Amino acid sequence: MREQWTRSGFLLAGIGSAAGLGNIWRFSYVAGENGGAAFLIIYLLAVIFIGLPLVIAELAIGSKGRNDAVATLRHEAPTGHWYIAGGLSVVGAFFILGFYSVIAGWALKYFVGAADGSLWAPQQLNAYHAYFEGFIARPFEPLGWQLLMLTLTTAVVAGGIRHGIEAANRLLMPLLCLIVIGLAAYSLSLDGAEKGLDFLFTPDWSAFTRPAVYMAAIGQAFFSLGIGMAIFLTYGSYLDPKQSITKSASIIVLGDSLLAITAGLAIFPAVFAFGIDPAQGPELAFITLPGLFSQIPGGRLIGTLFFGLLAGAALTSMFSILEVPSAYLARRLSCSRRKATLLAASLSFIAGIPPALGFGVFEQVTIGGQNLLDSYDDAVSHLLLPTGGILIALFTGWGWGKRRALEAAGLDNSKLGELWLLCLQYIGPLVILTIFIAL
Ligand code: PHE
């Protein structure tokens, strides 16, 4: 018999999967570069009309199929080629986990450094540029931290759904929520915090005319929820059939967005209170913030909590990414979960070597002027996830059969069901295609 989540365990694991580096590290710098509040509005619209319908769709397909992504799509669509979307997810997972674990490794290094004091040695606001650049240019140190994060992930996922992934999320998620709320409260109490709130909640209307802002916001919605890569499809295959899919999806999406906004409230008020430019790019969390922590009262504790949050949130997302290829390999190779997990993690580590070395050994290698890590991120958020998302939307909206889809989602005979299908049939695919073309 296939393993099954407990109800609350599934919700925690689902929020844990969605909430990760995307909500803290990525959300803050992408919002910073794309006009703050204007970006936030488009992001939330994309979450409601594209993200939520896709999470429901993935959970519905997964809970019907009760198998890995490829087998499920093959079974549910025996005549089409939809299983290719499953194959894309399995291959995509190696690359996502590859580059994701690089940044997760940085977060772990900073957490350990903040706790043992070595991160605070530079002691100046502007010293962290050299600190960070020095660290990521070394070959073996970033690789080592990355490997450590992957090893932790493998140990948990190899433990199974209930005793591995669910148990770890039960421990980590409440802790992470407490930390992010505490950090936001602290940041909001600083003098000059209002400017951060203005930035996050008062739109700069001109940003609405820039297509790049739309792409960034939609790309962020995909990345932050982790949709289009069969993650919810795979997690959904272990769902208790009696658990409501729409309710669970709504709770997960709401939890993810609240976590992103709370993380924004932890970061921007402090950034503005210190007169720092928020459009710093991916370095915001690793250069700007440690400098800031080194200057504020209690900053060492705050910094330790922040990087602990970052590493912990990354870990709970890594479980779900690793589960996609692990479930596939376990079936395909008829091997144990342990072996499949170890193999999938090793392949991900290999896929992650180029972006990990993109700042030192492979510094000269750029794609379209970008280093390897940013190229991976771009390819994943702006190409792989939206493409996977379109395929899942089209399959559910057109390929699966209206009645089957509505029934699987528990939305038959309801107005909401009609709206859900409309989002999957037209709104999602058209919006994503338009943006592909506009860029
Ligand atoms: N959603 C996760 C985050 O926000 C990352 C993720 C991306 C997970 C893509 C799965 C797929 O960090």
Side-chain angles (χ1 to χ4, degrees), residues 53-341:
L54 273 173
V55 175
I56 297 176
E58 285 198 22
L59 289 180
I61 300 170
S63 72
K64 257 264 152 334
R66 312 205 79 73
N67 212 329
D68 66 89
V70 177
T72 289
L73 285 167
R74 225 188 248 286
H75 181 261
E76 292 301 313
T79 52
H81 292 285
W82 295 105
Y83 64 88
I84 294 175
L88 187 74
S89 309
V90 171
V91 176
F94 296 125
F95 290 93
I96 300 178
L97 196 55
F99 97 92
Y100 199 85
S101 58
V102 174
I103 305 151
W106 299 350
L108 186 63
K109 151 149 176 122
Y110 271 59
F111 169 59
V112 173
D116 76 10
S118 57
L119 180 65
W120 310 116
Q123 284 245 324
Q124 290 150 23
L125 194 56
N126 298 321
Y128 285 91
H129 211 270
Y131 180 89
F132 180 63
E133 308 260 295
F135 161 57
I136 59 176
R138 288 192 281 274
F140 295 116
E141 215 192 322
L143 280 176
W145 291 105
Q146 177 189 12
L147 192 60
L148 193 54
M149 281 305 267
L150 276 171
T151 308
L152 287 171
T153 309
T154 311
V156 169
V157 176
I161 293 298
R162 263 214 203 163
H163 299 293
I165 303 179
E166 185 174 320
N169 274 293
R170 239 179 237 295
L171 180 77
L172 284 169
M173 287 311 289
L175 210 61
L176 298 179
C177 289
L178 278 181
I179 296 180
V180 76
I181 292 171
L183 290 177
Y186 176 87
S187 180
L188 286 168
S189 74
L190 295 170
D191 275 345
E194 324 74 60
K195 281 188 259 135
L197 289 179
D198 266 1
F199 175 75
L200 210 50
F201 297 117
T202 316
D204 157 17
W205 297 105
S206 71
F208 284 106
T209 58
R210 305 201 323 252
V213 174
Y214 290 83
M215 186 72 209
I218 293 172
Q220 174 62 18
F222 271 86
F223 190 91
S224 173
L225 287 169
I227 42 183
M229 275 298 106
I231 281 172
F232 286 107
L233 194 161
T234 310
Y235 265 16
S237 72
Y238 306 104
L239 198 64
D240 173 352
K242 291 194 290 298
Q243 187 158 357
S244 159
I245 287 181
T246 40
K247 239 192 247 161
S248 310
S250 309
I251 294 173
I252 291 171
V253 169
L254 190 70
D256 181 58
S257 301
L258 283 178
L259 262 156
I261 293 172
T262 316
L265 289 177
I267 293 172
F268 290 113
V271 163
F272 277 88
F274 279 78
I276 294 166
D277 171 14
Q280 302 267 334
E283 289 88 23
L284 182 69
F286 295 100
I287 294 179
T288 316
L289 294 182
L292 194 156
F293 295 140
S294 71
Q295 303 300 305
I296 54 179
R300 290 180 172 210
L301 175 66
I302 301 284
T304 309
L305 290 173
F306 176 79
F307 288 110
L309 169 72
L310 205 57
L315 200 58
T316 58
S317 298
M318 288 170 70
F319 303 153
S320 68
I321 313 177
L322 184 59
E323 180 59 29
V324 174
S326 301
Y328 170 77
L329 289 174
R331 174 186 62 85
R332 219 26 242 280
L333 307 176
S334 316
C335 64
S336 65
R337 162 178 281 274
R338 279 175 162 223
K339 281 206 186 107
T341 315

